[in-house]
Amino acid sequence: MKKYFIIVIAAVALMSAGKQDSAITKENGAVIVNTTTIAKDVEGYNGPVPLKIYIKKNKIEKIEVLKNQETPKYLAQVKKAMLNAWDGLTIKAAKSKKVDTVTGATFTSEALIENVKQGLDYYEKNK
């Protein structure tokens, strides 16, 4: 029984060691930070507003909004006004950039800003 227990523990440890961080992936030379699990407590008006942040050569290439429950009309306004605000910025510049919220979609705007902040913090700690 003791041998079996040790073997099971070793197998679980090996499987855990091989797990990849699902919050950070790589694609076409870019690092992609997915904030779904990183900022799961950050909520817009109707719930979480997760993002994918594409980073290449320590600069933000683009940001995509993932599946969420926000009102499409307001989310479209936020995307149009804010999503490109960080494009081309270094991580340091992006973290310190002040981005205005969209009137009428304040909760969604603030959630987007906080997701970017937490995603970039996570990237710096885990790149």
Side-chain angles (χ1 to χ4, degrees), residues 9 25 27 36 46 49 54 58 62 65 82 92 100 109 125:
I9 297 281
T25 57
E27 180 181 300
T36 302
N46 289 320
V49 187
Y54 291 76
N58 205 42
K62 67 179 177 177
V65 177
M82 297 177 67
K92 183 178 180 180
D100 291 333
S109 299
K125 292 176 187 168

Side-chain angles (χ1 to χ4, degrees), residues 37-57:
T37 57
I38 297 168
K40 63 184 170 201
D41 296 332
V42 176
E43 295 198 356
Y45 188 75
N46 289 320
V49 187
L51 307 172
K52 274 189 177 180
I53 305 168
Y54 291 76
I55 302 167
K56 195 171 195 177
K57 296 182 181 177

Side-chain angles (χ1 to χ4, degrees), residues 21-107:
D21 184 350
S22 63
I24 294 183
T25 57
K26 292 184 180 183
E27 180 181 300
N28 298 328
V31 174
I32 304 165
V33 179
N34 183 326
T35 66
T36 302
T37 57
I38 297 168
K40 63 184 170 201
D41 296 332
V42 176
E43 295 198 356
Y45 188 75
N46 289 320
V49 187
L51 307 172
K52 274 189 177 180
I53 305 168
Y54 291 76
I55 302 167
K56 195 171 195 177
K57 296 182 181 177
N58 205 42
K59 289 186 178 181
I60 297 176
E61 278 194 319
K62 67 179 177 177
I63 298 173
E64 292 178 356
V65 177
L66 299 174
K67 185 177 179 181
N68 61 75
Q69 300 299 314
E70 296 301 281
T71 305
K73 173 184 168 184
Y74 295 110
L75 183 60
Q77 291 174 356
V78 170
K79 288 165 80 172
K80 183 178 179 185
M82 297 177 67
L83 264 191
N84 296 333
W86 295 276
D87 289 359
L89 296 178
T90 63
I91 303 306
K92 183 178 180 180
K95 286 177 66 173
S96 63
K97 182 169 178 77
K98 301 291 183 212
V99 178
D100 291 333
T101 59
V102 175
T103 302
T106 307
F107 291 120

